[in-house]
Amino acid sequence: MAGDVIYRTITAADSAAVIDLANQVHGDNYLSEESLAALLAGGTVADVKLNWLAERDGEVLGVRLTLAPGNWPVDDACTPTKWPFSAAQMCYFKCAAVSERARGLGIGKQLLQCSIDAAKQLGCKAGLAHIWLQSPQNSAYEYFSRCGGVLISTHPDRWLQASLEDGYYCPVCDGTCRCEAGEMILVFEGQ
């Protein structure tokens, strides 16, 4: 019988498994050792860690990468005038990936809640995400909406630069990514 799912913060020792799972779900070169190291650093403030994984019997089943306030860029795919709080009061939900064989078990939702609970310790009132609107069966949008995320804007070609300059290979576009991002806000309970 398989063991229970364990949720814990991501460490550098988990890098290979986290990169492998994220790249399986989002496409080749979505994450690298360098980009993951930067995300882990950006999701850590003192002893508060916003990056989580789910594992069972030593196998990584899911990951949630989240950046702390001040550690993510407010770029041209952001619409601060539509945000209910300032960037200083919001974390950034960068990436969620759940192994195909573990989908439907509530792992993504639980990982998100782990990140939210940690972000609240930093004073966050909400989180921002750029959701992959062309994900298979639009599962990313459906998942984030069910968790309380609200679409506030859309941004075409969100990952085009990554596919042209960083070697990102979009599995939906079969290479050069022209996918649209849904800018979504998730206001935390009690706010």
Side-chain angles (χ1 to χ4, degrees):
M1 181 175 175
D4 291 334
V5 176
I6 297 168
Y7 297 89
R8 64 175 177 80
T9 57
I10 298 172
T11 67
D14 301 310
S15 293
V18 169
I19 291 166
D20 184 55
L21 178 59
N23 289 349
Q24 283 177 29
V25 172
H26 296 288
D28 290 345
N29 298 317
Y30 180 78
L31 283 183
S32 65
E33 288 184 29
E34 296 79 20
S35 65
L36 178 59
L39 291 168
L40 293 179
T44 303
V45 176
D47 62 345
V48 178
K49 296 183 180 201
L50 305 181
N51 297 303
W52 289 78
L53 65 73
E55 68 179 354
R56 181 172 45 210
D57 300 329
E59 177 187 4
V60 174
L61 300 176
V63 299
R64 161 57 67 193
L65 300 173
T66 304
L67 295 169
N71 292 344
W72 55 276
V74 177
D75 60 21
D76 59 359
C78 293
T79 316
T81 57
K82 294 184 178 182
W83 298 350
F85 305 105
S86 71
Q89 296 174 302
M90 296 194 307
C91 63
Y92 182 77
F93 297 118
K94 169 63 179 156
C95 169
V98 175
S99 169
E100 191 171 339
R101 66 184 157 278
R103 292 180 189 153
L105 302 177
I107 288 172
K109 186 174 184 178
Q110 183 59 44
L111 287 168
L112 179 63
Q113 191 60 54
C114 290
S115 284
I116 289 170
D117 291 343
K120 286 180 176 179
Q121 294 177 46
L122 301 176
C124 291
K125 296 182 177 188
L128 179 77
H130 286 95
I131 300 299
W132 184 23
L133 293 180
Q134 282 73 35
S135 65
Q137 291 85 44
N138 204 12
S139 58
Y141 176 79
E142 294 297 324
Y143 150 75
F144 207 69
S145 295
R146 280 194 311 273
C147 291
V150 176
L151 181 70
I152 60 168
S153 191
T154 58
H155 304 278
D157 298 336
R158 172 67 173 159
W159 299 279
L160 178 61
Q161 182 177 354
S163 67
L164 293 174
E165 298 175 9
D166 302 330
Y168 169 57
Y169 184 89
C170 177
V172 172
C173 298
D174 198 24
T176 303
C177 186
R178 303 307 301 237
C179 290
E180 183 176 34
E183 182 182 359
M184 297 183 78
I185 295 284
L186 194 160
V187 175
F188 299 159
E189 195 173 294
Q191 299 304 312

